[in-house]
Amino acid sequence: MKTFFKTTILAVLLTCVSLGASAQIKTSYFMEGSTFRYDMNPALTPQRGYLKLPGLSMVGVDLSNTLLSLDRFLYNKNGETVTFMHSSVTTEEFLKKLNKDNSLGFDVNVPLFGVADYGKRCFWSFDWNVRVMGGVNVPRDLFKLLKSFGSDVNLGNLRVDANAYSQAALGFAFPIGKHVTFGFKVKGLWGLAHATVNFDDIGLSMNKDVANLTAHGYVDANIPGIVFNGIGKKGDKFNVDLGIGGDKDEKSTRESASAGSGEEGGNSIDLKKLYTTTFNDIPGTIKNVKNGGVAFDLGVKVSLLKDHLRLSASVVDLGWIWWNKTNGASVETSKIQMSFDGVNLSDMINGKELDVNQVLTHNLNELTVTNRGADGMVSRMATQFNVGVEYAFLRNHISVGLLSHNKFYESHTYSELTASLNFRPGKRFSATFSHSFLNSGLSSMGFAINVHGRGFNLFLGTDYIPFRFGTELKMEDMGFGIPIPTDTFGLSFHGGISFSLHEAHYGMTIKEARKARRAEKNAAKLAKIERNKLK
């Protein structure tokens, strides 16, 4: 039983460590030709308009987290790399590297369509995306349980949030005078799915024979295609029958589908009848998705010292989604008490089917639940606040920048400070080296290149290229090993192609801008000829 619990918990934690994702790349913030920086500040428009198509505009993999790094789980002992579970690593040595609450966040953005271009007085854009956003908070005591098995732990503040939604964004950016650019986006949100699981109190004591658990928390859920039955109205209490205590007769089965009476304990609802699905009726399921929301992006850029110094700030994803109660449920549990003393492997070997509900809840007859009311369910977006400072020199061919990035998830706040060195050797090419300080230490750097000429815009970049590697992951069949980065808080790759439209031409029509560029080129050619004559 001890090995079973350790293996299960460790698998969940390692999954959390390796599967965070981010929709934005901070390295691109000071790259003038990039379309990615427009997502972080609506005042930082690209040099040309764009057309984004599905599958081309962004192809990326980003594995990241805020507080967990492999160097906290791998140790060098006597010249060998061992895990935190090794006997040579003490509990105190392992736990001092962890915070009381260890948080992870994810934000995946999949563009479906996008178009933007310059007009005479403004830059406008329309983008349609599908996004998945959320966060996880893991208390330190969960790791203590793994390392020091059998000790009493409190896993309160264990929380998971997730939102899936589609957004249509209409944006505008325009100059105010010669030195200020202001931009904004209005986003219409269509909620696709929402879930929050929060345990404010989990007490767990374990020994070699039995595990005892007490817990209290709540669950919010709104998933199209799932209808929750018999949970009554806000304030009603009811018991969820976990199928223990023998078979029910037909009468009690019918009663289990009815709502709670509102009295203490209420009626009993069969766990198997708590919800029904309508996935076989896809048109009807989509029609019942009536979750709406709104979000705003605001940004500003100020140019000073003859455009050598540039200051910028933005608020991104300031918004909410209101979830319809049709497919929603919000319930709070009473104080849960249960125990687990293992499974009979002999019965399983002899072909007896394992009843998971019976094994995990054989000391828990019914779970008392209170309806919190799904009609007022609101989820907040993971709002960002960005502040950037850039100084350019050598006729804007080189610049240095510093970006403060803060993201406010419902479960935690993530902050990062990124410095970058930017190169613009030509009008159609740029490259950037970056390093993020607060969470990455000195263990990784970022790099991006951007080709943004006429016709297309190609971007390749990453925020995290690791410096330090530990043991290799052996690939016996292939005859080589893969080095594992040990001191980095993220691995990312971003790449995309969009089609370029017109170049920036504030104050002029497209024809006037083309005429002005031709005159500029002709003047440059004549100047070159005159210089050659003087030689």
Side-chain angles (χ1 to χ4, degrees):
M1 185 195 72
K2 178 178 177 179
T3 304
F4 169 80
F5 263 94
K6 284 192 174 184
T7 303
T8 303
I9 296 173
L10 184 59
V12 172
L13 291 176
L14 290 179
T15 300
C16 291
V17 169
S18 63
L19 294 181
S22 174
Q24 297 171 338
I25 176 168
K26 298 183 289 294
T27 303
S28 69
Y29 190 84
F30 298 107
M31 302 183 74
E32 293 180 347
S34 171
T35 62
F36 285 87
R37 73 179 196 151
Y38 183 55
D39 294 330
M40 299 187 69
N41 187 330
L44 301 182
T45 58
Q47 290 179 338
R48 296 176 180 271
Y50 60 78
L51 174 64
K52 295 182 178 181
L53 299 177
L56 292 176
S57 54
M58 179 178 176
V59 179
V61 177
D62 195 327
L63 307 178
S64 62
N65 62 84
T66 57
L67 295 173
L68 301 178
S69 176
L70 285 179
D71 74 312
R72 300 184 176 185
F73 298 89
L74 299 179
Y75 293 79
N76 191 311
K77 296 293 183 179
N78 300 321
E80 295 184 357
T81 301
V82 299
T83 69
F84 70 99
M85 297 296 291
H86 196 270
S87 58
S88 62
V89 181
T90 65
T91 301
E92 293 75 16
E93 181 182 8
F94 169 55
L95 293 180
K96 73 179 182 180
K97 289 188 174 183
L98 303 177
N99 290 0
K100 181 180 179 181
D101 292 304
N102 300 276
S103 303
L104 306 102
F106 55 91
D107 182 354
V108 180
N109 191 341
V110 181
L112 300 179
F113 176 77
V115 61
D117 206 358
Y118 283 91
K120 185 175 181 178
R121 293 180 175 84
C122 70
F123 176 86
W124 61 268
S125 66
F126 174 79
D127 294 280
W128 179 29
N129 303 348
V130 172
R131 300 183 69 176
V132 180
M133 181 186 298
V136 179
N137 192 75
V138 182
R140 180 171 51 195
D141 268 15
L142 190 57
F143 300 94
K144 178 182 177 182
L145 176 64
L146 281 170
K147 182 62 179 172
S148 182
F149 194 82
S151 59
D152 295 343
V153 296
N154 190 321
L155 307 181
N157 205 24
L158 179 63
R159 180 184 176 109
V160 179
D161 296 285
N163 292 303
Y165 59 95
S166 175
Q167 72 173 30
L170 182 63
F172 294 92
F174 48 87
I176 302 176
K178 295 182 178 181
H179 305 291
V180 179
T181 301
F182 176 76
F184 70 92
K185 291 182 184 178
V186 179
K187 302 176 179 179
L189 309 179
W190 185 40
L192 302 177
H194 165 72
T196 296
V197 179
N198 182 73
F199 286 97
D200 50 28
D201 179 38
I202 300 181
L204 184 62
S205 61
M206 303 182 68
N207 55 47
K208 64 180 181 179
D209 297 318
V210 65
N212 297 302
L213 170 71
T214 60
H216 174 268
Y218 68 86
V219 176
D220 292 343
N222 190 298
I223 304 173
I226 296 182
V227 179
F228 296 93
N229 303 315
I231 62 176
K233 61 182 183 296
K234 184 175 181 179
D236 284 351
K237 296 181 182 294
F238 56 92
N239 297 323
V240 178
D241 194 321
L242 301 174
I244 301 167
D247 297 331
K248 293 182 175 63
D249 56 27
E250 184 177 350
K251 180 179 178 181
S252 62
T253 301
R254 287 195 305 267
E255 290 176 350
S256 68
S258 62
S261 64
E263 300 175 357
E264 183 68 28
N267 290 334
S268 177
I269 300 178
D270 193 326
L271 180 62
K272 297 178 180 179
K273 296 181 179 295
L274 184 60
Y275 64 90
T276 56
T277 61
T278 60
F279 294 120
N280 56 340
D281 181 16
I282 295 179
T285 300
I286 296 176
K287 184 179 179 180
N288 287 328
V289 179
K290 300 177 181 178
N291 312 306
V294 63
F296 303 93
D297 295 355
L298 301 172
V300 63
K301 181 185 76 170
V302 180
S303 300
L304 302 172
L305 303 179
K306 297 182 179 180
D307 201 29
H308 288 291
L309 179 63
R310 300 153 190 171
L311 310 177
S312 60
S314 66
V315 177
V316 178
D317 290 325
L318 179 63
W320 303 263
I321 297 179
W322 289 265
W323 299 90
N324 190 281
K325 64 180 181 180
T326 303
N327 300 108
S330 179
V331 296
E332 180 181 3
T333 68
S334 61
K335 193 75 171 183
I336 300 172
Q337 295 183 338
M338 61 178 289
S339 61
F340 172 72
D341 56 12
V343 297
N344 192 326
L345 295 179
S346 298
D347 290 342
M348 295 178 63
I349 294 173
N350 294 329
K352 184 177 179 180
E353 184 178 354
L354 176 65
D355 187 344
V356 178
N357 283 336
Q358 184 72 23
V359 169
L360 294 179
T361 60
H362 66 289
N363 287 333
L364 180 65
N365 293 324
E366 286 186 326
L367 177 64
T368 303
V369 178
T370 303
N371 188 341
R372 288 160 33 103
D375 51 342
M377 196 184 302
V378 180
S379 60
R380 178 179 61 80
M381 302 296 94
T383 304
Q384 301 177 46
F385 180 58
N386 303 304
V387 177
V389 180
E390 181 185 17
Y391 187 82
F393 48 93
L394 294 180
R395 296 183 180 180
N396 199 37
H397 290 310
I398 300 178
S399 74
V400 291
L402 186 64
L403 170 67
S404 171
H405 172 73
N406 300 275
K407 198 162 189 176
F408 304 92
Y409 294 94
E410 289 192 278
S411 59
H412 68 282
T413 299
Y414 174 82
S415 298
E416 194 68 277
L417 192 64
T418 302
S420 63
L421 179 61
N422 314 292
F423 297 91
R424 308 179 185 104
K427 196 174 181 179
R428 296 177 175 85
F429 176 81
S430 58
T432 292
F433 295 89
S434 71
H435 175 70
S436 297
F437 289 93
L438 298 185
N439 290 301
S440 298
L442 296 173
S443 60
S444 64
M445 63 170 289
F447 175 70
I449 58 173
N450 186 207
V451 180
H452 43 87
R454 292 183 180 180
F456 74 97
N457 187 316
L458 171 65
F459 180 91
L460 296 173
T462 176
D463 279 331
Y464 304 103
I465 301 175
F467 288 161
R468 292 177 53 188
F469 294 86
T471 185
E472 290 187 343
L473 179 63
K474 299 297 183 181
M475 308 295 289
E476 300 292 345
D477 296 338
M478 300 182 182
F480 64 89
I482 300 176
I484 301 175
T486 58
D487 189 17
T488 181
F489 288 79
L491 296 174
S492 70
F493 171 77
H494 289 259
I497 297 177
S498 61
F499 300 98
S500 299
L501 300 180
H502 300 106
E503 201 170 355
H505 53 270
Y506 289 130
M508 295 183 287
T509 64
I510 294 175
K511 290 183 178 180
E512 291 171 344
R514 288 174 178 171
K515 186 177 179 180
R517 282 195 292 270
R518 286 196 212 102
E520 184 180 350
K521 289 180 180 179
N522 292 333
K525 289 179 181 179
L526 291 174
K528 185 176 181 180
I529 292 173
E530 291 297 327
R531 286 195 301 267
N532 291 334
K533 286 180 180 181
L534 294 175
K535 292 180 180 179

